Amino acid sequence: MNAETETDRDARKPPAGVAVVVIGYDDAAHVTDAVRSALAQGPAVREVVAVDDCSTDGSAGLLDRLAASEPRLRVIRRRANSGGCGTPRNTGLDAVTSPYVMFLDSDDVLPPGAVDALLEAAEGAHAEVAGGLCVRRELPSGREVPWEPRLYALHAVVPRPARRPRLVHDTLCVNKLYRTGFLRAHGIRFPEGRFPYEDVVFTARVLAAAPRIALVPDRVYVWHVRRSAGRLSISLDRSGVENWRARTEACRQAYEVLLGAGQKELARAVRAKFLDHDLRMYVRELGLRDAAYRRAWWELTRAHLAEYDADDWARNPAAPGRLVGRVVLASPEPCDLPRLRELAARPARLCPPYARAADGTPVWSDALPVSLEPLRARPVRALPLAVDAELRPCARGTRLRLRLRLRLRLRLRLHELYGRVAQAGPESVEAEWLHRDDGGVVVRDTAVPLAPCPSGSEPASTAGSEAVALAQGPEPAGRAGSRAVALARGAEPAGAVALGPCARGAEPAGTAGSVRGGAWSAEVAVDLAALSALGAGTWDLRLRIRFRDGVSRDVSAHALRGAGLLRRSAVPSVRHGVVLVQPYATHSGALALRVAPGVRGVLSVARARLRRLLH
C-alpha cells in the first residue's frame, strides 16, 4: 500500500519550465514585440532573458521599462558589441536557470502555443531536442513560406539523428527547444564574435551529440523577412562576397564537427545540402553581381569544392547541384552563367546547347567537356526539362496567348535518356499560375495536347537562342473564348517557330514511333480575367507535363527574351477598363507575370517605378 505509482510521482514534480533567450542590437522598433510574444506563451515560460548587444538606439531602455512590470523578464546589457549573434546567445545561455531553453531574435516572434507544443513533445518523447515548423513571413506583403516543411509534416520521434539525415537541412536554432542540461553537458555553444551563420555550426554540434529528437507539425516560429529594411539581417545581406566566404566556412566547420564525432553519414549530408541548397541559391543570383564579385565568388567556391572527395560526387550524381558544382570546379574562370542559373532553378532546367564528346558522351559544352553521363539514369519525372515560354497580347478581349515549346529536340544528343523520354510519350501540358503573395491562390487551365513539331522547321542559327521572336498568329477559328487551345496533332500554329532535329539528326535506337527531332508545342489561353480579379499582383507560371504512361513532371518555364518579348502591355478590359500586364524573367530565368487592373492598378505600378528611380 506504500508503493508510489509513477502517476503520483509525476503529479508531485514541479512543471518543467522554459527559458527564452532574446537577442537584439539596435532594434528598438521590434525587440519589445519579440519579448512580449515570448511572455505571452503562458506559464510554460519561466523566464525570458533579453540580451542587448550594446545597442545605441534606446533598445535597452525599452527592455528595462518592460522588465519593471514583468518579473519573468531579465535584461542583460553587453558592454561591447560582439558583431554577431553567437556571443549574445551564449551570454543568455549561461544565464538561464530553466530545464529547457529556446532562442528568439529581436525582429521575429513566437506564435501562440509554440512553447507548449515543443515542451509537450520533448517531455512526452523524453527528447533532448524538440523542433517545429518555422515560417518565413515576407513583409510588408505578409506572404508566408514554410521552412523545411518535409521535416515537420507529421509528429515524429527520431532516436538518433543519423536515422534522419534530412535534419542537416534545418540549420535554424530558433525553431527548437533544447534541454539545458544536454547543451551544458556536451559543451554545445555558438561560435563567438562576428561569425555569420553561427546556427549552422551550432546545429552541427547538437546533431554530433546524437540527441533524441521530437518533431511536431505545429508552427513554432515566425521569421520576419524585411528586404526593404535599411539594414538587412546577416543572412539576407548577400551583396558582398564576404557573406559567401562566411557561409562556406560555416558549412566546412559543420562537416568537420560531424565527421570528428563519427557521424560520417550526417557529414556527407552536410556537403550534399551545400550543393543542393546553398550553391544553387547563390548561383541564381550571380547575374546580379559585378565581374569582381563573380571572380572572387568563383575562386572561393572552387577552393571549397576541391575539398570534396569521390564519394561526395558519386551520391546522386545527376542532381542539379552536383552538376553545377562539377562545372564550377572544372572551369578556372566564371563561365556559362545563364545556363548555370537555369540549372540552379527550382525545378531545374538544363537549357541548350547540348554538346557531345568525340566518343559520343554527353558533356556540358565543347569548351568544357564535363560529363553529363549521370543524366542517362535520371528518371523521366526528375529530368531538368527546358520549356520556353513567351506571352503576347491577343487581338481580342482580355486574353493572352501563351506559346510553349518543349525543348527536347536538342536533348536527343543524350541518346538513351531522351529515348526513354520519347518512349514515355509527352502528351499534354497543364499551365497554372501561382499568386506570389498567397501561394494558396492558383489559376489553372485545362490540360492541352502537346503536338510534335515538324522536323527541320527551325533554322539552325536559332537553335537554343533566346532571341527568337515569334510572329503572332491568329486564334484558331471557332475557339474564341476557350481557356485552352489544343493544337492539331502534327500541325504547328501559324506564326510559331517549330523546333527542328538535333544537329546530328540521329535518334537513339529503340525510339520507334517517337517524334523525330524531339520537340512538342502547345498553345494555352491565359485567363487574364481570373488573374486580375484579385487586384494588382505577381503570378508565377508552373507547368505539368504528362506522359503516356501516366508519369508527370512539374516544371517552370524559361522566359524567352528578344524583340517584342517581355514587354509591358495595356490590355482592354470590360470589367476594369484596362489591365496592365508585364511578363518578366525572374532571377532564375523563369517566366512570371505582373498584373495591375484598372486605373488604380496602373497608378500603383507608376508609383512603384517612381520610388525605384528616386532610390
Side-chain angles (χ1 to χ4, degrees):
M1 297 295 292
N2 295 328
E4 183 179 47
T5 67
E6 185 175 345
T7 301
D8 294 333
R9 290 194 300 271
D10 289 343
R12 291 209 313 269
K13 285 195 313 183
V18 176
V20 180
V21 175
V22 184
I23 63 167
Y25 168 67
D26 279 359
D27 197 15
H30 309 115
V31 65
T32 54
D33 290 337
V35 170
R36 287 191 177 97
S37 77
L39 294 170
Q41 296 295 310
V45 173
R46 181 183 298 177
E47 58 183 331
V48 176
V49 179
V51 182
D52 180 76
D53 201 11
C54 197
S55 294
T56 60
D57 68 344
S59 295
L62 293 174
L63 291 171
D64 286 339
R65 287 193 288 275
L66 185 58
S69 60
E70 177 48 72
R72 291 181 295 166
L73 174 60
R74 183 166 24 138
V75 180
I76 300 176
R77 299 192 190 184
R78 290 186 46 79
R79 295 182 178 180
N81 179 257
S82 68
C85 298
T87 298
R89 286 197 184 125
N90 288 336
T91 300
L93 181 58
D94 291 338
V96 304
T97 60
S98 301
Y100 293 92
V101 62
M102 291 182 67
F103 301 99
L104 172 61
D105 291 347
S106 63
D107 53 350
D108 301 328
V109 294
L110 298 179
V115 172
D116 285 340
L118 291 173
L119 183 58
E120 181 181 352
E123 291 279 283
H126 304 287
E128 288 82 19
V129 180
L133 184 67
C134 168
V135 294
R136 290 166 50 107
R137 180 182 292 165
E138 298 273 353
L139 297 176
S141 71
R143 176 196 182 202
E144 292 189 350
V145 179
W147 174 263
E148 289 298 320
R150 289 170 53 188
L151 270 178
Y152 302 106
L154 301 169
H155 287 273
V157 177
V158 183
R160 293 187 303 276
R163 292 191 177 183
R164 189 73 65 89
R166 185 76 190 181
L167 286 166
V168 304
H169 283 250
D170 184 10
T171 54
L172 300 181
C173 69
V174 290
N175 61 330
K176 300 176 183 70
L177 177 82
Y178 304 92
R179 193 181 293 274
T180 308
F182 163 77
L183 296 180
R184 289 174 176 167
H186 292 276
I188 299 172
R189 297 172 67 79
F190 293 89
E192 294 277 348
R194 182 166 180 77
F195 191 101
Y197 305 107
E198 75 294 329
D199 46 357
V200 173
V201 178
F202 177 84
T203 298
R205 291 170 177 172
V206 169
L207 296 178
R212 185 177 177 88
I213 302 175
L215 306 176
V216 300
D218 307 66
R219 287 163 44 114
V220 301
Y221 197 85
V222 178
W223 174 3
H224 286 147
V225 179
R226 297 178 173 90
R227 299 187 189 276
S228 59
R231 187 189 71 202
L232 290 173
S233 67
I234 292 174
S235 61
L236 288 178
D237 188 6
R238 298 194 292 267
S239 59
V241 75
E242 287 306 313
N243 177 277
W244 180 239
R245 188 190 305 275
R247 188 181 283 260
T248 56
E249 177 59 26
C251 292
R252 179 182 292 110
Q253 289 195 26
Y255 172 81
E256 292 172 351
V257 164
L258 289 164
L259 193 64
Q263 302 281 0
K264 188 174 182 179
E265 287 302 310
L266 290 178
R268 294 285 188 201
V270 164
R271 285 186 165 176
K273 175 258 178 187
F274 176 83
L275 294 172
D276 184 62
H277 174 71
D278 304 80
L279 181 64
R280 292 175 71 177
M281 176 170 58
Y282 281 72
V283 164
R284 291 195 296 269
E285 299 176 352
L286 273 182
L288 306 175
R289 314 302 182 199
D290 60 26
Y293 175 99
R294 292 195 292 266
R295 285 194 298 270
W297 184 93
W298 202 269
E299 182 179 353
L300 283 170
T301 306
R302 296 184 76 237
H304 183 71
L305 295 180
E307 300 173 4
Y308 283 36
D309 59 30
D311 285 344
D312 293 318
W313 297 110
R315 298 188 176 203
N316 196 8
R322 281 171 174 76
L323 296 180
V324 170
R326 289 170 57 217
V327 170
V328 173
L329 191 59
S331 175
E333 298 290 338
C335 71
D336 292 343
L337 297 187
R339 288 186 75 208
L340 288 173
R341 177 194 66 181
E342 301 274 346
L343 186 56
R346 294 188 184 278
R349 300 183 298 271
L350 181 57
C351 293
Y354 304 114
R356 279 183 172 276
D359 63 356
T361 301
V363 294
W364 176 258
S365 68
D366 293 335
L368 198 65
V370 174
S371 175
L372 299 182
E373 184 71 19
L375 284 175
R376 294 177 184 265
R378 195 76 166 167
V380 172
R381 64 180 178 275
L383 284 175
L385 300 179
V387 179
D388 289 340
E390 58 119 348
L391 279 167
R392 288 180 181 273
C394 282
R396 58 170 76 88
T398 62
R399 303 160 66 82
L400 294 177
R401 177 172 299 164
L402 170 66
R403 192 168 281 124
L404 305 172
R405 296 178 299 156
L406 182 58
R407 286 190 175 231
L408 296 180
R409 190 255 312 172
L410 288 177
R411 293 295 302 267
L412 286 175
R413 299 180 74 172
L414 301 169
H415 293 291
E416 289 84 359
L417 177 61
Y418 285 95
R420 290 196 299 272
V421 172
Q423 285 180 330
E427 289 195 330
S428 66
V429 59
E430 179 182 355
E432 63 180 23
W433 297 90
L434 286 68
H435 197 278
R436 178 73 58 83
D437 294 331
D438 186 351
V441 179
V442 180
V443 174
R444 290 187 177 88
D445 282 298
T446 55
V448 300
L450 282 161
C453 300
S455 296
S457 58
E458 184 183 14
S461 61
T462 65
S465 172
E466 287 193 355
V468 179
L470 285 84
Q472 182 181 335
E475 190 168 357
R479 298 300 301 271
S482 64
R483 293 192 61 192
V485 180
L487 299 183
R489 199 60 147 156
E492 187 74 2
V497 176
L499 299 180
C502 10
R504 303 195 179 183
E507 238 173 88
T511 60
S514 65
V515 177
R516 190 168 184 81
W520 295 259
S521 63
E523 192 173 276
V524 179
V526 178
D527 192 344
L528 189 55
L531 297 183
S532 59
L534 293 179
T538 300
W539 299 81
D540 293 301
L541 176 64
R542 293 292 183 270
L543 306 170
R544 176 163 297 169
I545 300 172
R546 299 187 186 276
F547 296 87
R548 185 171 52 244
D549 58 2
V551 173
S552 65
R553 171 63 165 143
D554 291 341
V555 300
S556 55
H558 166 71
L560 283 176
R561 303 171 185 269
L565 301 177
L566 303 184
R567 293 175 56 184
R568 184 184 294 116
S569 302
V571 182
S573 167
V574 174
R575 178 179 178 182
H576 303 287
V578 65
V579 176
L580 200 62
V581 180
Q582 173 67 73
Y584 72 98
T586 66
H587 291 337
S588 68
L591 181 66
L593 184 64
R594 295 189 185 99
V595 176
V599 175
R600 182 175 299 178
V602 173
L603 290 176
S604 69
V605 172
R607 285 194 295 267
R609 183 175 179 84
L610 181 60
R611 284 195 298 268
R612 289 194 297 270
L613 291 175
L614 293 177
H615 295 86

